[in-house]
Amino acid sequence: MIPCRRVVSRAGVKGLILPALSQRVIVPHVITRYQSTVGAASGVPIDNTANEPRQPIENKALKDSKSARGPKAPKRQRQERNGGNGGANMQAFNQKVKDVTQQIEETLNTDVEYGELKSILEEGITFLRDSTEAIGNTTRVSIELHRAFTPLTITFYNKAKNIADINSEELLEFLISIGLANQYHFTDIAQQLLKEATTKPENYQKVLQYWVRFREYETTHRSFVLDGTLPEGVEYVQFQFPSFAYYSYVMICVHQNAPYSAQDAMRFSFNDSVPHPTRVKLNLVGGKCFDNTEFKRFTDFIRQEEQKNIDPNGPQVNSDLFRLNDVHKIDDYYLKTVEMLKERNEKFTERTLTRFMNRYYSIGKYDRVFALFEKLVSSGIKPSITAWNAVLRSIITRDTFRDKSSEEKVVLLKKFERMVATIKASGAKFDADTLGAIVNAYCVAGQFERAKECMNEYKDLGVSNVAKEEYMRALIFNGQIPEAEERFQEYMKQEDSTFSRDLLNDFLAHYSKQKNYRAMFGIKEFMDRHNLEPNTKTLTLITQAYIHTNVQMGKTPDIMAFLNSFKGSTRFNENTYTVILTGLIKSANIEAARELYKVLKKKYPNSPWIQSNMITMEMSLGDIATGERLFAHYIKNIKNDAFIWNTAIKNLLDRDENLAMEYYNGLKNQERFKPNMHTYQFVFEHFVRKGNAKRLAEVLDDLANNPLKEYGTLSKIFYRISPLTEIPKAVAERAKFDVNKRKTFV
């Protein structure tokens, strides 16, 4: 730990966060070279009612203000003269404030020299502070002065810093010296320093110095920018400064290879918690001091620090896993966990492996469930019933059993029954989830009588809601809708019966295929009655039914009013609506998607997700001309990048490959970006399927002349291209593709 200078102690100041810095700070030389000049001699505390007498403001500044004074009368005489009427005194003081600040504002709006600006500001606040003794209510006085002078000091600061030879730091020192600095001034300087920090890393240390200075200053001065006090046209975010300070602290650790302390990092905040990286990025972008390369170093460092504190076998693993929806990300997380355990000379616990098994099961990657179970057993760990349940559920599932042949189905059922017998032999005790897995497997396999027998055999376990639900979902899966509906009515009459949205969505999906919209609306009414909140699949299916019903009746659907009728609609956001729109598009409900888009484009006119989804739909399924208009709007009003060009190319290739290649050539002609790995992948895949050797040769020449930084899986596509046309030597070398052996280098 690196010692830090002692922060000036101010006993009795509530909520002071920095005193612990007096004991230690992690960053080497971050604050040690900085010595505070804030103190009794350098600033005038706003609440101080015993200031030394000052010279009155010059008559030219105050003009004929009624507040010009002669010598002070004794305290008792003043009280008698004022009749003890504090309200009248405050009213008179407010008038003085109004007169003085008006004159200062008029001066600021004229073309005067910097010295004149300083004089009028300093004399004005000096005069008003010397006029406060008869009032008594120093807190109210300080608030009124702070509110009145905040816009003036911000205007002064912004005007003065544009004058030649006057830098922002000099201005801040002056404002501190007269007790009129506020958070806006400190934030602006931090912002300016961060703009140059990429080439001047020492600026990060300066930002921290100003943060510490600010925290000291605010213990004796009002420093927050109050609502309604910003001058017109001035942009300011109240809590940018903590993000700047925290970011600077981390970047000092990065640049100086200094140790990081989460405890010390929290001191660069207002609430003892560090800002989230997303919040930091928003504030950096808002302050026009964001640098992508530096911010990546920031996030990488934070991620590494977080990894150091993670227990690979702790509960954090579970919450992390369920934030990951992509199998590759879960695989990466698993491999990172393996590495962490190796570094610490530890092993997986049974619970951790089971967590991974359950997560893989939830995304339909059953092969990984079996692989992890084998790892668990081969490690000599005795599986819990939770681990056995994950394996049981993965053997026979709705999404895999359907496509099996009759012989394969018989083999799977026998494998399942052997697994049940193995669990019994292991001594593991069945629980309600085990019964649910058994019932589900038999129902999916169409063995409903056997499922009922198991429910009776293990009824002492309690037929859980999971088992009941799996039974009904299997009935729907096998097309036995009337019995599923009958069981649903029966179970709902039983005490404590609750079912997930997955069951309701299964019913909805079936009714949607049958165009039984009345039944779908009945499920919505059921959800409303039971206060059930829908998920995006529910919303997509019922919205589709609502739109179709209204269109068939010749009515204009009020989609937003309909969606707002659902529980939890107040939390619906751009992402929610995007998912609903995507669901409609994936199910080829073009008209329903267009109806929803009519509403969303007004609510989110420049949403990249909504607009790109509609471009995808129109170019791949709908009207190409409409898709092109949407594309033109996107690159003009949202963002012109490779992603949206690739979207157009990918979706046009199968409908109009000549037009798709026009977009490809348009992408080649862009100045800021060019075709990337994904562009070539889409184009190569299409023309390999078409067997178009000429087109493939043309695109390969483009790739040879415009090499990529990353070739990814392109080398695999070259296997299929090489029989049609020659792979240019330059491309093969960069992609590490052996043309003769037709394999990628390892």
Side-chain angles (χ1 to χ4, degrees), residues 21 58 131 374 391 431 486 535 702 737:
L21 281 173
E58 293 179 10
S131 305
E374 289 179 7
V391 176
D431 61 13
E486 186 178 337
N535 58 18
D702 290 340
F737 180 78

Side-chain angles (χ1 to χ4, degrees), residues 188-240:
D188 184 76
I189 288 179
Q191 187 174 309
Q192 293 178 49
L193 289 169
L194 289 176
K195 286 180 180 179
E196 299 179 348
T198 305
T199 55
K200 298 179 179 179
E202 64 273 15
N203 281 9
Y204 292 124
Q205 184 169 300
K206 290 182 180 180
V207 172
L208 284 199
Q209 291 171 358
Y210 276 109
W211 170 260
V212 175
R213 187 97 181 266
F214 169 73
R215 295 315 302 267
E216 292 179 338
Y217 177 83
E218 70 170 352
T219 62
T220 53
H221 297 79
R222 299 189 183 277
S223 58
F224 277 82
V225 178
L226 302 175
D227 291 342
T229 60
L230 277 178
E232 186 176 352
V234 174
E235 294 182 358
Y236 171 67
V237 178
Q238 188 79 268
F239 297 104
Q240 277 184 330

Side-chain angles (χ1 to χ4, degrees), residues 35 40 190 196 282 359 368 399 406 529 553 601 654 725:
Q35 294 299 321
E196 299 179 348
L282 287 173
R359 188 66 186 114
R368 286 168 171 76
D399 51 346
S406 300
R529 284 198 310 273
M553 296 171 65
K601 71 179 180 180
D654 286 332
T725 189

